[in-house]
């Protein structure tokens, strides 16, 4: 038994050696276009391959793993986008691991790096990277705080907050939520990202109400609407693009039209393909995934997120449901959500593919609730864990 445990831990270390450099690189603001991040990725990939090679597989699990990674390779070849391949490798490589432990580690890496980078930028120790835009006839100065864009900086804060909520919401007190809200507003002073500040505040308030006040009506609303949120948001994406192209009144709203007009241009000037195509540039997340990564990836993304909502509803994981609902809204205006490096909720897909990962996730979920003030119906949870 001891040898089996030691062997399992050793295999898990292979994943962490793969994952930690990617988290550090992404935390520092590197993108797939940067040569440094490309070097980090190629150096880390052998450890993911080793984790996959050393893991034990059933025929069904192995078949799913091969198909997903082949899709990732195909998208890379046809569109030049490596984020989908990194996502499929990550999801398949975290087989039989406790996803919550990965979230905890990722929070500390991304959180510390974000605070240090933004503090150094504000103190002018590194380039604060200001951006100038004209809004309502006035010059508006925004700061990227060491990241590629001001919106990317605030989205990174959103990711850090999400990691904190999922990993530590059982331990968090009112002052933790207040401190994160205050920090959110502080960063907004520099990024001027209204979407970022609004949705970061929304996810904090939602989780606090759900986790502390136990508002059953809100839980049921999220459970019922959440599982359809990605489908509704997709329909809404195309509806907005159509309305912007046909309704002159909407075109008069400068911020709305400039953000979503890029999605309209993509739809007009590009055809759909199975594995995406290069040169798709839009902040409209659903349009970017559909046209940039292809029909197959888009269908898998929507289906996977819908299945995750059903899993969360089944096991009373209301915090995770709330977070994914806000992600669905954020994807309307940002194209980062399709990458596991910016949307770690995609890791929960491993719990759908691998029964052992699901059991570990639910076991940790129960233990945390028992340890930190919550008293779930143990019989209900244990009965669900046994279902394959």
């Amino acid at each position: 038994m001891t040898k089996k445990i030691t062997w399992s831990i050793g295999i898990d270390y292979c994943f962490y050696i793969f994952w930690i450099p990617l988290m550090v690189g992404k935390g520092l603001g590197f993108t797939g276009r940067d040569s440094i991040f490309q070097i980090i990725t190629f150096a880390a990939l052998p450890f993911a391959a080793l984790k996959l090679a050393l893991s034990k597989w059933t025929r069904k699990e192995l078949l799913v793993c091969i198909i997903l990674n082949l899709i990732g390779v195909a998208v890379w070849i046809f569109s030049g986008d490596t984020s989908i391949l990194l996502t499929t490798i990550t999801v398949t490589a975290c087989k039989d691991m406790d996803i919550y432990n990965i979230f905890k580690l990722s929070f500390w890496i991304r959180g510390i790096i974000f605070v240090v980078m933004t503090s150094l930028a504000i103190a002018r120790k590194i380039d604060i990277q200001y951006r100038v835009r004209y809004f309502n006839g006035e010059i508006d100065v925004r700061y990227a705080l060491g990241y590629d864009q001001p919106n990317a900086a605030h989205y990174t804060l959103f990711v850090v907050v999400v990691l904190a909520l999922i990993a530590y919401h059982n331990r968090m007190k009112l002052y933790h939520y207040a401190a994160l809200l205050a920090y959110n507003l502080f960063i907004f002073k520099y990024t001027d990202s209204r979407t970022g500040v609004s949705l970061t505040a929304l996810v904090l308030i939602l989780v606090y109400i759900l986790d502390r006040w136990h508002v059953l009506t809100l839980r049921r609303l999220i459970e019922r609407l959440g599982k359809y949120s990605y489908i509704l948001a997709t329909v809404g994406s195309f509806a907005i693009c159509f309305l912007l192209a046909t309704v002159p009144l909407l075109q008069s709203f400068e911020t709305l039209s400039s953000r979503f007009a890029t999605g309209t241009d993509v739809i007009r000037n590009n055809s759909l393909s199975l594995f995406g195509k290069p040169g798709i540039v839009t902040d409209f997340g659903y349009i970017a995934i559909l046209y940039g990564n292809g029909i197959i990836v888009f269908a898998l993304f929507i289906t996977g997120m819908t299945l995750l909502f059903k899993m969360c509803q089944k096991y009373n994981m209301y915090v995770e449901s709330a977070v994914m609902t806000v992600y669905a809204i954020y994807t309307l205006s940002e194209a980062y959500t399709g990458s596991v490096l910016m949307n770690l909720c995609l890791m929960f897909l491993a719990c759908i593919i691998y029964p052992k990962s699901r059991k570990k996730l639910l076991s940790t979920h129960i233990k945390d609730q028992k340890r930190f003030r919550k008293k779930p119906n143990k019989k209900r949870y244990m009965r669900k864990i046994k279902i394959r």
Side-chain angles (χ1 to χ4, degrees), residues 61-119:
E61 291 172 350
L62 185 59
L63 180 62
V64 172
C65 173
I66 292 172
I67 291 173
L68 287 177
N69 285 303
L70 285 177
I71 292 172
V73 171
V75 172
W76 177 30
I77 293 172
F78 283 90
S79 72
D81 185 4
T82 58
S83 65
I84 301 301
L85 179 57
L86 275 177
T87 299
T88 58
I89 290 173
T90 301
V91 171
T92 53
C94 63
K95 181 182 188 294
D96 301 341
M97 296 181 65
D98 189 338
I99 306 300
Y100 283 127
N101 287 338
I102 301 174
F103 270 77
K104 290 173 183 176
L105 176 65
S106 302
F107 163 71
W108 288 108
I109 294 173
R110 296 289 288 270
I112 291 172
I113 291 176
F114 182 81
V115 171
V116 171
M117 271 195 65
T118 54
S119 298

Side-chain angles (χ1 to χ4, degrees), residues 26 45 57 136 163 184 254 264 269 277 300 311 385:
K26 207 63 181 178
L45 282 176
W57 303 85
N136 291 334
L163 290 172
N184 178 39
E254 183 178 347
T264 305
N269 301 320
K277 57 178 64 176
L300 288 173
M311 184 190 77
I385 289 173

Side-chain angles (χ1 to χ4, degrees), residues 155-259:
Y155 192 94
T156 302
L157 174 61
F158 174 78
V159 172
V160 172
V161 168
V162 163
L163 290 172
L165 292 174
I166 292 180
Y168 294 109
H169 69 91
N170 283 316
R171 308 185 191 188
M172 291 175 65
K173 308 295 183 184
L174 176 59
Y175 61 84
H176 291 123
Y177 289 93
L180 288 173
L181 277 172
Y183 189 63
N184 178 39
L185 294 173
F186 174 72
I187 294 298
F188 171 68
K189 287 176 56 180
Y190 295 93
T191 63
D192 194 28
S193 174
R194 284 160 290 183
T195 304
V197 70
S198 301
L199 294 182
T200 303
L202 175 63
V203 74
L204 282 166
I205 294 169
L206 268 181
V207 172
Y208 179 79
I209 293 173
L210 289 169
D211 200 43
R212 291 289 172 172
W213 292 358
H214 308 288
V215 180
L216 292 178
T217 304
L218 183 59
R219 287 191 192 182
R220 289 168 184 165
L221 181 64
I222 290 176
E223 286 176 352
R224 291 174 183 176
L225 296 181
K227 59 186 176 183
Y228 303 113
S229 58
Y230 285 82
I231 298 172
L232 292 173
T234 300
V235 174
S237 298
F238 283 91
I240 291 171
C241 290
F242 173 77
L243 291 172
L244 278 174
T246 56
V247 180
L249 178 63
L250 292 178
Q251 297 171 6
S252 64
F253 294 98
E254 183 178 347
T255 303
L256 179 69
S257 60
S258 62
R259 172 62 62 91

